[in-house]
Amino acid sequence: QKEVEQNSGPLSVPEGAIASLNCTYSDRGSQSFFWYRQYSGKSPELIMFIYSNGDKEDGRFTAQLNKASQYVSLLIRDSQPSDSATYLCAVNGGGSYIPTFGRGTSLIVHP
Amino acid sequence: GAVVSQHPSRVICKSGTSVKIECRSLDFQATTMFWYRQFPKQSLMLMATSNEGSKATYEQGVEKDKFLINHASLTLSTLTVTSAHPEDSSFYICSAHPQGVTDTQYFGPGTRLTVL
């Protein structure tokens, strides 16, 4: 059973701060890692994907992958109230192209 | 690029009727499409995986005779909820995996189904 774990939150940060969202996974064979953002009542939106160990930056977002420790994180710099949403971690690989989703972490950015 | 549409966005129906939901990839061909269901404040639940031209693969516990999936072309998949009941009320979301692209999938906007 492949598992992807996320703290459900809510994670509350002040506007302008760095929000750090974490995700751990059980399948060591996992190869692809994704972060989605989901606003209430809407469908998930792909934010970033990462395949290699290390950091990947895109604007205010940085994905960090550590395969040895089996975790992937998402940092959001200069958090804005519009970043308030649920962030889903998804993991592919180990012989399957079907992603396994975590339950999501609720982020609240307060002014 | 990578736009996925769903129709309808919202549907209200009477118990016992059937509802068809369409999922289209607008600017790419989708080798595989996925159908998810999400209840309020819960995580995404994968219902089935559909590949163009072949039968869908259903997840454990999902009734294939109740949730009919057809993937007739590389840009269209449909989900039909047959004989819908109030417990089928949920948010149904499709996603599409672009042909030839490493395992990234893009989600449609979702369909909110309410069965009275």
Side-chain angles (χ1 to χ4, degrees), chain A residues 23-93:
Chain A
C23 170
T24 60
Y25 58 95
S26 63
D27 184 4
R28 279 202 172 274
S30 299
Q31 298 174 3
S32 309
F33 307 85
F34 304 85
W35 282 100
Y36 290 86
R37 177 176 62 198
Q38 186 175 25
Y39 291 113
S40 180
K42 303 294 185 182
S43 67
E45 170 192 11
L46 180 66
I47 298 177
M48 290 193 70
F49 55 87
I50 186 168
Y51 301 132
S52 304
N53 274 329
D55 295 359
K56 179 181 179 182
E57 187 174 318
D58 184 0
R60 296 187 296 113
F61 300 98
T62 299
Q64 299 176 317
L65 176 61
N66 184 322
K67 289 187 178 181
S69 300
Q70 294 176 242
Y71 82 77
V72 55
S73 62
L74 179 69
L75 301 179
I76 306 175
R77 289 182 300 281
D78 189 24
S79 296
Q80 301 297 310
S82 59
D83 294 326
S84 299
T86 296
Y87 289 79
L88 302 171
C89 171
V91 176
N92 268 28

Side-chain angles (χ1 to χ4, degrees), chain A residues 3-6 23-24 34 86-91 99-105, chain B residues 38 42-44:
Chain A
E3 295 182 348
V4 176
E5 299 287 341
Q6 293 182 258
C23 170
T24 60
F34 304 85
T86 296
Y87 289 79
L88 302 171
C89 171
V91 176
T100 301
F101 279 85
R103 299 177 70 85
T105 297
Chain B
Q38 188 175 38
Q42 294 191 23
S43 62
L44 290 173

Side-chain angles (χ1 to χ4, degrees), chain A residues 31-32 34 36 38 40-46 49 51 88 92-93 96-99 101-104, chain B residues 32 34 36 38 41-44 46 49 51 59 91 93 97 102-110 112:
Chain A
Q31 298 174 3
S32 309
F34 304 85
Y36 290 86
Q38 186 175 25
S40 180
K42 303 294 185 182
S43 67
E45 170 192 11
L46 180 66
F49 55 87
Y51 301 132
L88 302 171
N92 268 28
S96 171
Y97 62 91
I98 300 174
F101 279 85
R103 299 177 70 85
Chain B
T32 305
F34 302 92
Y36 294 86
Q38 188 175 38
K41 298 192 184 300
Q42 294 191 23
S43 62
L44 290 173
L46 179 64
T49 303
N51 293 295
E59 294 299 300
F91 191 41
I93 312 171
H97 172 74
T102 307
D103 65 12
T104 303
Q105 58 176 298
Y106 298 91
F107 283 89
R112 178 78 57 191

